[in-house]
Amino acid sequence: MSIPAVEESWARIEAWLARHAPVSRARLRPPAAGEEIRAAERELGLMFPPDLVASLRCHDGADHGEGAPEVAYYGPPARVADIVRHTAMLRDIGTDLGDVDGDEDELGAYWRQEWLLITLGAAGQASDGLFLTVRPGPGHGRVGHSRTEDAPVFTPWSSLRHLLADFAEALEEGRPFAGRVPVGIDGELRWEDDRSVVSDPVSPLALAARSAEPEPPAPGGPADLSAPTPTEDRGAGPRLTFVRVAPPRPQPLPDQPDLVFAEGLTPAELLRRLGAIPATVRPRSRPHAEHAAASPWAAHRPMVRAGTTGGWAYAVQEEGAAQFVRPEVLRAVSEGTRAVALTRQGPEVRRTVVVDGVPDEEAVRLVMSPRENVASVPDRMLARRLGVDPWPGSTAAYARLLTELDGEFGIRYRPGDDAGTGLPSALLLPLLDDLPDPACGPAGEVRGFDLAALVDRTPPERLRRACAAQLRRLAAETGIDAYPEIADALARTGRAERNGPDAGERLGPDAREPLGLDAATNLGLGVGDPLDLRIRTLAAETWAARQSVRDGTGPVGPEDLSAWIAREGAAQALRAFVLLPVPMAAERILGLRLSARWRDELATDLGEVGTQPAAGRVNS
């Protein structure tokens, strides 16, 4: 296919900017003078490729500042002066790093002498812009990307001419360019992510459901290598014996798990409040619990065991993400009673007391221990000693605070004493995180969109209706509207918007306020209700997918993780729409939209089609 000339592509770019982004069009500079280009070539000791010369003879880059036309996230086109100054700077950095030119891989250096910077990069950082290589050979004139935090790479464009042709076509057709879609907003060229997610991501929890819980590990352990080994009697005479000497094994570190105690509860009730999955409840010893929690059956969900001591129920976290440091968990555990948590996270040991959901600030004990397994070695280097306690101060603090529980609360418990006992235990479906405090208010801007102006100019009921419509669009984009609990909630919120909120579904008279706790109950957002369980399950799917991708095990891939992240975010946006003021919910909903056309769709939902709202119309 014939590639348009540089001059033709620039004419198309200028025409689109003039129609949809005149502010950005005005930022394009006049043509560079031929003598200025030749002077730059002499200063850098390189001949500019013909495509670069032709581009600079159309526009000497762009003026910096607000509204400058950017080539997606690669930044605005560089001026001749930018090319000279920043190329020289990057050359100096490469020299300081010891980069040398040669026949080795061209990308195996921070910056090559034969590279010319042609865009200023994200946020004007020259080290994150595009470059042209003028190295002799078949790759002459190819476009590369110099990345601040990573090694440079070559882009798909074999020349600046190809890049400008794709740029012009992306503007005219509104299609993705380098993964982003160009839009005209308030007279400026901006770039929106136009994302999509797989419609049927691999489910870690579904895989877990097809796995069986492993049986308890067999008693016993590895053979004692220090015991004498019988040898065959080969008769009298001299024998050569090899003796392997090893340093003594360090003593194991103390057993100091996270603990929570709840006064007057039974172990079964404590497990329920923690979010135990009923089908996983059974007696387990500690080795059994740890063995099960490490298996595919657990899908990275937390495992706890529960027992009693005196008048208190207690839970020990055996595996999984820490739960007893979370305020929402301690609030649920302490409902109608009091709870005491003792947790250790590396250098930090914390004792927390909560009475009927309210933390007792005076009863908090917090100890931070310095790391003590680091030693100085020659040349001012530091090394870590292996097999020793890195935070002995925290170890001592944990033991001291555990002893104090007996004197202050009558709680007598020693970790390890119940390790071999089959205590009631379960995997948890973790409780949802608390939403932000409504008093904090929304951000004034989201994705470059003036949310504060929208809230100020829009009647409350219209704003709520538009946010409900945006929420439904988000649900469809991410696929969560296929879940019956979420589809029902979306339908009911939609009916409330069309017919006016029911008397019991409004916390206050202002339509910008949350629908309220009554609405949350009616929609199934109470702890353990269908919608609540669905959102918690999505959170568990996301966590399990993230751990699987990090470990590189199993069939869950990055595209599956992206889908679960999008689904959980959309479900949490539904929860925010019910429980938070509408402006705060709008910030979350708009921030999560996948389509690059969300601004136009919001204008439609607000009834502003055909107008030019202050927040910015999108043209493409």
Side-chain angles (χ1 to χ4, degrees):
M1 183 177 64
S2 177
I3 303 301
V6 167
E7 294 82 358
E8 180 183 342
S9 293
W10 265 120
R12 293 162 62 193
I13 294 168
E14 294 166 10
W16 188 93
L17 292 175
R19 290 194 305 272
H20 303 298
V23 174
S24 297
R25 170 65 180 85
R27 289 283 187 179
L28 289 175
R29 291 174 55 81
E35 178 53 37
E36 185 180 10
I37 296 173
R38 290 190 289 274
E41 292 176 324
R42 289 193 296 270
E43 184 168 349
L44 294 175
L46 295 173
M47 291 291 293
F48 286 9
D51 290 349
L52 178 57
V53 174
S55 179
L56 292 171
R57 294 307 301 268
C58 291
H59 293 286
D60 183 19
D63 287 326
H64 308 167
E66 193 72 24
E70 297 188 345
V71 185
Y73 50 78
Y74 300 123
R79 303 171 298 187
V80 172
D82 296 326
I83 295 173
V84 173
R85 180 162 60 93
H86 292 298
T87 296
M89 177 192 71
L90 293 168
R91 283 178 174 181
D92 290 342
I93 295 174
T95 301
D96 292 342
L97 293 175
D99 291 343
V100 294
D101 286 321
D103 295 331
E104 68 271 18
D105 176 19
E106 185 174 2
L107 296 176
Y110 177 82
W111 189 267
R112 294 289 187 188
Q113 295 293 311
E114 302 96 340
W115 290 354
L116 293 169
L117 185 80
I118 60 170
T119 73
L120 297 185
Q125 298 183 48
S127 56
D128 197 32
L130 294 176
F131 63 85
L132 292 182
T133 177
V134 295
R135 206 178 211 195
H140 183 83
R142 189 174 180 183
V143 181
H145 181 204
S146 173
R147 300 182 292 179
T148 303
E149 303 295 336
D150 210 339
V153 295
F154 281 124
T155 69
W157 299 296
S158 59
S159 69
L160 179 57
R161 178 178 177 179
H162 286 78
L163 183 152
L164 291 172
D166 280 355
F167 186 25
E169 187 173 339
L171 293 178
E172 293 173 340
E173 298 184 5
R175 64 172 180 80
F177 176 87
R180 310 188 78 189
V181 173
V183 293
I185 301 171
D186 292 340
E188 298 178 3
L189 169 62
R190 299 187 192 175
W191 296 88
E192 285 282 357
D193 292 325
D194 191 35
R195 300 181 293 128
S196 62
V197 294
V198 294
S199 59
D200 189 21
V202 176
S203 166
L205 298 193
L207 295 175
R210 293 196 288 269
S211 303
E213 178 183 357
E215 290 304 311
D224 185 358
L225 298 179
S226 64
T229 303
T231 59
E232 181 183 354
D233 185 2
R234 295 183 179 273
R239 286 175 294 181
L240 179 63
T241 303
F242 293 92
V243 179
R244 183 171 61 186
V245 179
R249 295 182 179 180
Q251 292 295 319
L253 297 179
D255 181 14
Q256 297 184 334
D258 285 359
L259 304 166
V260 67
F261 303 87
E263 190 173 24
L265 299 186
T266 64
E269 174 61 15
L270 179 55
L271 287 176
R272 186 193 69 79
R273 294 188 181 198
L274 289 170
I277 301 171
T280 69
V281 176
R282 64 177 287 188
R284 295 180 182 88
S285 65
R286 174 162 297 167
H288 183 189
E290 292 175 344
H291 185 55
S295 71
W297 167 81
H300 300 281
R301 289 167 289 186
M303 169 71 78
V304 296
R305 298 166 66 238
T308 57
T309 175
W312 297 72
Y314 69 87
V316 187
Q317 176 144 6
E318 304 295 359
E319 294 290 340
Q323 296 297 303
F324 306 155
V325 295
R326 301 177 57 205
E328 45 276 300
V329 171
L330 296 180
R331 189 168 56 248
V333 167
S334 67
E335 183 179 355
T337 182
R338 58 177 176 165
V340 181
L342 181 61
T343 59
R344 177 174 179 180
Q345 305 294 321
E348 177 185 291
V349 178
R350 179 186 293 269
R351 188 193 78 177
T352 309
V353 179
V354 184
V355 180
D356 197 13
V358 180
D360 184 351
E361 301 296 343
E362 296 183 357
V364 172
R365 301 286 185 272
L366 175 63
V367 178
M368 296 293 293
S369 168
R371 180 183 284 275
E372 297 186 23
N373 69 330
V374 178
S376 297
V377 295
D379 298 328
R380 298 182 179 179
M381 300 292 289
L382 296 177
R384 290 182 181 176
R385 293 188 294 267
L386 301 179
V388 299
D389 189 348
W391 294 290
S394 293
T395 299
Y398 184 100
R400 183 177 68 254
L401 292 175
L402 189 63
T403 301
E404 291 177 1
L405 294 183
D406 187 4
E408 293 188 40
F409 302 98
I411 297 173
R412 296 184 179 181
Y413 178 79
R414 293 295 177 269
D417 289 352
D418 59 6
T421 305
L423 296 179
S425 61
L427 292 176
L428 303 184
L429 192 62
L431 304 180
L432 295 173
D433 290 337
D434 287 337
L435 290 169
D437 184 350
C440 296
E445 186 177 284
V446 55
R447 296 170 70 174
F449 179 89
D450 193 344
L451 180 59
L454 172 69
V455 172
D456 287 343
R457 75 170 189 270
T458 307
E461 284 297 344
R462 181 187 296 176
L463 179 64
R464 184 185 290 280
R465 285 195 300 271
C467 287
Q470 285 288 300
L471 179 61
R472 291 190 290 274
R473 294 181 190 274
L474 175 62
E477 289 174 335
T478 57
I480 66 169
D481 55 354
Y483 298 114
E485 308 89 347
I486 291 179
D488 178 65
L490 290 170
R492 296 174 68 181
T493 57
R495 287 196 296 271
E497 296 312 319
R498 288 190 296 271
N499 303 325
D502 297 336
E505 292 187 342
R506 180 65 58 82
L507 190 62
D510 189 344
R512 293 194 181 100
E513 290 299 309
L515 289 177
L517 298 179
D518 289 341
T521 301
N522 293 337
L523 292 173
L525 272 174
V527 176
D529 287 345
L531 183 57
D532 170 74
L533 289 175
R534 174 57 63 189
I535 300 176
R536 288 162 59 191
T537 299
L538 289 171
E541 295 273 22
T542 302
W543 176 261
R546 182 175 284 112
Q547 304 312 305
S548 297
V549 171
R550 183 196 64 184
D551 297 341
T553 59
V556 180
E559 68 283 355
D560 303 304
L561 172 58
S562 296
W564 290 118
I565 291 173
R567 289 187 178 194
E568 182 195 357
Q572 292 282 12
L574 168 59
R575 179 171 170 241
F577 182 72
V578 176
L579 296 177
L580 290 179
V582 174
M584 294 184 71
E587 176 189 352
R588 181 169 296 206
I589 294 167
L590 297 179
L592 292 173
R593 286 294 313 277
L594 301 185
S595 171
R597 312 299 174 195
W598 65 273
R599 294 172 186 260
D600 275 343
E601 292 168 349
L602 177 60
T604 299
D605 297 335
L606 288 166
E608 295 178 332
V609 176
T611 68
Q612 186 79 11
R617 285 281 291 154
V618 176
N619 297 287
S620 59

